[in-house]
Amino acid sequence: MLGNSAQENAAMMEPFVKDRNIFRNRLNAALNALKELAEVDKNKIAIMGYCFGGMAALELARSGKNIQGAISIHGLLDQGNAETNAINAKVLALHGSLDPMVPIETLNAFKQEMHDANADWQLHEYGNAMHAFTNELADAPELGTLYNKDADKRSAKAINNFLDDVIVQISKILQKCSSCKVSMDPHIKNFTIKNVLRRPELSLPSCKYPH
């Protein structure tokens, strides 16, 4: 669901930001529904999100669910009102050093939270990058949102490396695709990085994506 304005989007997010237990219930319901899909390998599940979606990824990890990975891309890092359980997922947080939505106090608290939870976690901080640094349409530096080509490129590589580590060798999967040559560069950018979690068919010997 997407609102018609930034204000409307913020209003829809607010209940989940304020009450993380409600948020976790929604996320757990989505995870359970995902596991019911025949094409989903229950032992190869990761969650990835941008901004509010990044907070969603972290909240699912904080809930203690047994998933393989959680990736937050310029996400909201504050802990909220729910307790952090044992974190079973490996965590990757990609953060812009100039993101006004994550002040230094919140960043330090996040790092302490991960240490206290004894999580397997990584934090990549991109210098001179604001919020929404992967969004090519972000162009409001006065609000702290601005596209950063270098940070976008570097974070994309970090995402692929992380998924290679926690789920499957993506490069090997792509080489198996004989019907559409998914290993070609345009597909790598469009599918393996930002949409790989929506493409369970990539784990099959041939790709079902219609061309």
Side-chain angles (χ1 to χ4, degrees):
M1 181 180 295
L2 184 64
N4 295 317
S5 66
Q7 292 76 15
E8 190 173 340
N9 288 333
M12 289 190 292
M13 290 187 291
E14 185 177 7
F16 302 103
V17 174
K18 285 186 174 181
D19 192 333
R20 302 298 172 87
N21 288 308
I22 293 176
F23 199 12
R24 290 182 186 184
N25 289 339
R26 184 72 61 89
L27 291 166
N28 289 330
L31 177 62
N32 291 335
L34 180 70
K35 289 180 176 180
E36 294 299 318
L37 299 177
E39 62 266 39
V40 171
D41 187 333
K42 297 178 179 61
N43 297 312
K44 293 181 180 179
I45 294 178
I47 180 172
M48 176 174 75
Y50 299 75
C51 187
F52 178 68
M55 186 176 77
L58 293 176
E59 283 304 318
L60 190 60
R62 286 167 171 147
S63 74
K65 287 298 179 180
N66 189 23
I67 59 174
Q68 281 58 57
I71 307 172
S72 169
I73 305 112
H74 42 79
L76 308 179
L77 303 181
D78 60 292
Q79 186 173 359
N81 67 332
E83 182 180 353
T84 297
N85 299 317
I87 296 179
N88 296 305
K90 294 183 179 181
V91 174
L92 172 64
L94 306 174
H95 170 68
S97 66
L98 301 181
D99 189 339
M101 300 184 188
V102 183
I104 188 64
E105 296 81 7
T106 300
L107 185 64
N108 289 336
F110 170 76
K111 291 190 284 186
Q112 189 62 52
E113 177 195 359
M114 293 295 107
H115 281 302
D116 292 345
N118 197 29
D120 184 338
W121 67 286
Q122 304 174 45
L123 171 67
H124 296 205
E125 186 171 9
Y126 301 103
N128 303 314
M130 294 186 177
H131 189 70
F133 59 77
T134 66
N135 184 352
E136 296 181 6
L137 299 179
D139 188 21
E142 70 280 4
L143 299 177
T145 62
L146 186 68
Y147 176 68
N148 185 303
K149 183 177 181 180
D150 289 336
D152 184 19
K153 181 178 179 180
R154 292 164 183 166
S155 64
K157 289 182 179 179
I159 292 169
N160 262 351
N161 290 338
F162 180 80
L163 291 175
D164 275 350
D165 178 42
V166 303
I167 295 188
V168 66
Q169 290 292 328
I170 292 176
S171 58
K172 292 181 180 179
I173 287 177
L174 294 177
Q175 291 171 4
K176 293 180 181 180
C177 182
S178 58
S179 62
C180 73
K181 307 298 184 184
V182 170
S183 59
M184 299 293 286
D185 285 347
H187 286 74
I188 288 177
K189 179 176 181 181
N190 293 329
F191 298 138
T192 68
I193 295 171
K194 294 187 177 179
N195 294 325
V196 68
L197 301 183
R198 304 173 189 171
R199 296 290 307 284
E201 67 270 26
L202 289 182
S203 63
L204 301 177
S206 62
C207 177
K208 297 178 181 179
Y209 191 80
H211 283 70

